[in-house]
Amino acid sequence: MSNPLSLPSTNDTRQVCSDRRVAVRHDASPETACQAVAPSWGVVYAAWVRDLSASGIGLIVECLLEAGTWLTVELDNAGPGASLRLRARVIHAMEMPNEHWLHGCAFERELTDDELHAFVA
C-alpha cells in the first residue's frame, strides 16, 4: 500500500513532539503493506505504517480508534518475503490531514532484530 498522505519524516516529528519511547523509531519500508484487525468488532482496517520500533508501531487509519483498543496488526513486505502478525494496543491517536488518524500502538511483545529489519526502510 502506498502512503495516503504526505507527512514529515519520523525525524521531523521528533523535533516537534516530545518522544517518550525508549526504542528507536524507524521509517517503514515503502513496500510494507499493513492491515489492522479489531477482533472484538470483527472489523478489518486498511492501515499504513508511519514508523516502527521494536516495541510499537505508528499506524495511519481512516478512522479514530479509541485508546485501549486491541488490534491484530498484519504486516507484509514482499521484497524480503516477510510476513508478521501480532497484537498491539492503541495508546494514543492524533488527527491528521484528510480525515486520517495516526495511532501510536504498543506491541504485546517486542520484535526481534530480524523482524524489525524486515519492515523498515
Side-chain angles (χ1 to χ4, degrees):
M1 288 183 179
S2 62
N3 192 333
L5 305 170
S6 176
L7 299 172
S9 75
T10 303
N11 293 333
D12 294 341
T13 303
R14 276 196 216 118
Q15 293 173 1
V16 176
C17 304
S18 119
D19 190 354
R20 295 175 289 182
R21 283 194 191 180
V22 175
V24 176
R25 295 180 194 188
H26 302 275
D27 290 332
S29 166
E31 292 83 28
T32 297
C34 179
Q35 67 179 14
V37 181
S40 60
W41 303 325
V43 178
V44 178
Y45 300 99
W48 296 267
V49 181
R50 165 77 162 122
D51 56 50
L52 190 64
S53 74
S55 60
I57 190 167
L59 289 178
I60 299 172
V61 181
E62 293 179 348
C63 64
L64 173 62
L65 301 172
E66 295 294 324
T69 301
W70 280 99
L71 301 170
T72 300
V73 177
E74 299 174 358
L75 299 169
D76 289 297
N77 189 340
S83 180
L84 185 62
R85 186 176 195 200
L86 62 158
R87 286 177 31 106
R89 185 170 49 91
V90 175
I91 303 301
H92 62 84
M94 180 176 73
E95 190 168 9
M96 303 296 291
N98 300 328
E99 299 180 20
H100 285 74
W101 292 83
L102 173 62
H103 298 84
C105 304
F107 292 134
E108 186 173 49
R109 67 162 179 88
E110 287 206 8
L111 300 181
T112 66
D113 286 343
D114 288 341
E115 288 172 331
L116 179 62
H117 293 295
F119 300 101
V120 298

